[in-house]
Amino acid sequence: MNVIDLDRPAVVPPARQRKSHRLAASALVIGAVLGACATYGWSVQRQAAARERQVAVFVFAEASPFVDGAPADSVVSGGRVATVTLTRRVTLVNAGPLPINIRDLSASRPGVSVRGVDKQRWVAPGATVQADADVQVDCVHGLPLGRLPVTLSVQTSDEEDREAHPREGFDGTPWSEQAEVACAG
């Protein structure tokens, strides 16, 4: 016959206590592993999405002497050529993973400014396009041309407008000799 004493708390056998502790510890470990996996997956997905949205463009100055035979425009001051404006060609390379619309290009440093012709240019990944640019040079302060920091106004296929700043800028040296000749008059 079993006697139950209602004044004393029930005694749980030690084997049951160990089992419940193991179960709780296992649940914690499984929860931590699942949480870590979910966090890692979310992080990888965000990084991949960010990489896919990156805009990467290379800009090269073409060495061709004139665009459509256009000579340099110049401003003469005191009998000397003060500034010249050359219309030259640039090559734009889409090095990113998405098609982009290169709308405009500008570059400047003291004595030199470059402005691209504002128009639509959809460029597929890995493809190149050519565009005209007006290069204005102060004959006293702008020569030689050398590297110029450049800003591109681009639109991605998701219709988001962005500015891209190629790290290296672009090398205007191919235009330097032409600008020097134009500045000499």
Side-chain angles (χ1 to χ4, degrees):
M1 177 180 222
N2 288 338
V3 178
I4 299 174
D5 187 356
L6 297 176
D7 291 333
R8 295 174 78 198
V11 177
V12 178
R16 248 193 201 163
Q17 281 182 344
R18 275 188 244 130
K19 208 181 227 183
S20 65
H21 288 300
R22 281 189 204 137
L23 187 60
S26 296
L28 283 174
V29 168
I30 290 171
V33 168
L34 289 175
C37 288
T39 301
Y40 176 75
W42 176 74
S43 174
V44 166
Q45 183 180 14
R46 289 197 63 205
Q47 289 173 355
R51 269 192 312 274
E52 288 175 3
R53 286 191 311 269
Q54 282 184 335
V55 173
V57 180
F58 294 110
V59 182
F60 300 100
E62 295 252 341
S64 60
F66 300 111
V67 173
D68 298 328
D73 292 327
S74 58
V75 174
V76 178
S77 176
R80 300 190 77 179
V81 176
T83 63
V84 295
T85 302
L86 310 163
T87 300
R88 295 296 175 263
R89 190 151 286 154
V90 293
T91 298
L92 305 161
V93 181
N94 180 359
L98 298 174
I100 56 173
N101 178 12
I102 301 174
R103 293 179 151 182
D104 201 9
L105 132 98
S106 63
S108 65
R109 67 168 171 75
V112 180
S113 69
V114 178
R115 300 283 173 244
V117 179
D118 187 18
K119 72 180 213 180
Q120 303 279 333
R121 286 178 199 84
W122 279 100
V123 187
T128 64
V129 295
Q130 292 185 331
D132 295 341
D134 292 328
V135 184
Q136 185 175 26
V137 180
D138 178 331
C139 292
V140 175
H141 303 289
L143 296 171
L145 295 179
R147 287 232 167 259
L148 298 166
V150 66
T151 301
L152 298 167
S153 173
V154 299
Q155 181 183 40
T156 54
S157 56
D158 60 1
E159 296 184 8
E160 185 176 332
D161 292 325
R162 301 178 191 191
E163 279 192 353
H165 303 275
R167 248 184 275 154
E168 301 293 321
F170 84 99
D171 187 7
T173 304
W175 300 332
S176 202
E177 183 181 331
Q178 298 158 16
E180 288 171 13
V181 168
C183 281

